Amino acid sequence: MAGRLDGKVAIVTGAGQTPGDTIGNGRAISLLFAREGARVLLVDKNLASAQETYLLITREGKDALAFEADVTRADDCRRMTEACLERFGKIDILVNNVGTGGEALGPVKLKEEDWDRIFAVNAKSVFLTSKYVIPRMEAQGGGVIINISSIAAVCATPMLAYRSSKAAVNALTQSLAIMYGPLGIRVNSIMPGLMDTPMAIEGISRARGISKEELRAERAQRVPLKGGMGTAWDTAYAALFLASDEAKFITGAILPVDGGQSARIG
Ligand SMILES: NC(=O)c1ccc[n+]([C@@H]2O[C@H](COP(=O)([O-])OP(=O)(O)OC[C@H]3O[C@@H](n4cnc5c(N)ncnc54)[C@H](O)[C@@H]3O)[C@@H](O)[C@H]2O)c1
């Protein structure tokens, strides 16, 4: 059966993952894209983690390449773009998945260097990867960019820097969609909600000093939709749709994947 991304080449940033019990968003997106026929450049500053994703993909007989880069650095984004072109000859899809949460702190307690780091990872990285990938997509006559934002961009959260940086990702998404729509480049973002991923469960349970099961139960009851939290596969299937030609008339969209959490106002 034909894959939904047959013949496409994708770059996924943050294609490794935080170690834990479950699969992370970047790894699930990479695996699903490969299963659907894409060749994938697996970018991560932690090469060993990207290589684990590579092994999962190649074990299924699909093609990928793990590549070490820190996407907060312009030169690494340039190298990442060149590596993709050298190995796969083109770039059809860019998924800006890297992200970091930080502590639930307001301006009084949050350190300036943490604010800068969170903005660099979450927002500046989108600017920098776009800087190098967009000219290539323009030369090819089009492409697709998917930014992994967060429902935190629009919901109340005490994580000030995280929320503000994800709101910036949404703004970048809409600006790029308008700027590059005439060139055939679609730009959309996904806002995952409460997900059962290591970034959330391992990261937050450690930060708050509570057990993973306690945290899972607490998060599950905040989700309106029956079944509790989502998983990285929910993010990945949304990304697959947006990356595929099925979404050819969709650009500038900011899609919640959150079991209805953002629909509950008041
Ligand atoms: N997990 C959730 O509950 C949740 C909810 C909402 C939004 N998100 C968003 O999903 C995205 C990532 O999810 P994930 O599950 O893949 O996270 P993850 O922590 O499992 O994986 C992120 C990967 O990015 C890599 N990375 C971090 N900074 C980097 C940098 N500067 N350059 C290159 N690589 C870097 C890390 O090494 C890691 O392998 C983030 O943007 C996050 O904000 C997650």
Side-chain angles (χ1 to χ4, degrees):
M1 221 173 77
R4 290 161 72 188
L5 300 181
D6 268 351
K8 307 275 189 196
V9 171
I11 296 177
V12 178
T13 73
Q17 72 167 69
T18 301
D21 309 331
T22 54
I23 190 164
N25 290 315
R27 180 164 291 167
I29 292 168
S30 303
L31 252 169
L32 186 61
F33 278 23
R35 284 176 184 163
E36 290 293 335
R39 291 173 292 159
V40 189
L41 188 79
L42 309 163
V43 176
D44 207 293
K45 67 175 185 188
N46 179 346
L47 183 61
S49 192
Q51 277 164 340
E52 287 169 21
T53 309
Y54 168 83
L55 280 179
L56 293 171
I57 290 175
T58 50
R59 250 185 237 144
E60 295 187 11
K62 309 292 183 187
D63 198 6
L65 177 69
F67 188 80
E68 184 174 358
D70 177 344
V71 291
T72 65
R73 295 185 182 173
D75 202 48
D76 283 23
C77 293
R78 182 187 54 75
R79 287 193 308 106
M80 167 196 95
T81 306
E82 287 170 3
C84 189
L85 294 174
E86 194 180 312
R87 171 65 192 265
F88 299 123
K90 59 177 186 160
I91 306 168
D92 299 303
I93 303 159
L94 166 66
V95 183
N96 286 306
N97 167 72
V98 298
T100 189
E103 287 178 82
L105 296 174
V108 179
K109 298 226 165 118
L110 184 67
K111 293 190 189 124
E112 185 181 353
E113 58 263 35
D114 289 336
W115 172 276
D116 288 343
R117 180 180 48 80
I118 291 164
F119 263 76
V121 175
N122 295 352
K124 186 182 179 190
S125 63
V126 175
F127 155 64
L128 289 178
T129 58
S130 301
K131 180 183 276 301
Y132 295 99
V133 170
I134 283 178
R136 184 63 209 182
M137 287 180 169
E138 181 180 352
Q140 289 171 202
V144 182
I145 299 176
I146 299 167
N147 299 322
I148 307 301
S149 174
S150 167
I151 211 68
V154 297
C155 287
T157 168
M159 298 160 83
L160 182 71
Y162 187 65
R163 176 177 184 160
S164 309
S165 63
K166 290 299 190 179
V169 170
N170 289 357
L172 275 159
T173 299
Q174 291 174 324
S175 295
L176 295 177
I178 297 299
M179 278 180 198
Y180 295 102
L183 301 177
I185 300 173
R186 296 191 293 109
V187 189
N188 294 294
S189 90
I190 293 171
M191 297 192 293
L194 292 159
M195 316 305 274
D196 192 344
T197 63
M199 181 192 187
I201 301 302
E202 269 76 0
I204 298 173
S205 64
R206 204 177 315 119
R208 287 180 48 196
I210 59 173
S211 76
K212 289 192 267 186
E213 283 327 306
E214 203 179 330
L215 179 64
R216 281 195 168 103
E218 189 188 288
R219 285 164 67 91
Q221 54 91 16
R222 288 169 58 200
V223 178
L225 190 64
K226 182 178 172 184
M229 282 187 289
T231 74
W233 295 112
D234 296 310
T235 309
Y237 275 104
L240 172 62
F241 167 65
L242 290 172
S244 75
D245 294 338
E246 295 155 22
K248 69 181 174 49
F249 197 51
I250 300 179
T251 195
I254 296 173
L255 177 66
V257 177
D258 68 344
Q261 191 194 348
S262 58
R264 186 167 53 199
I265 297 172

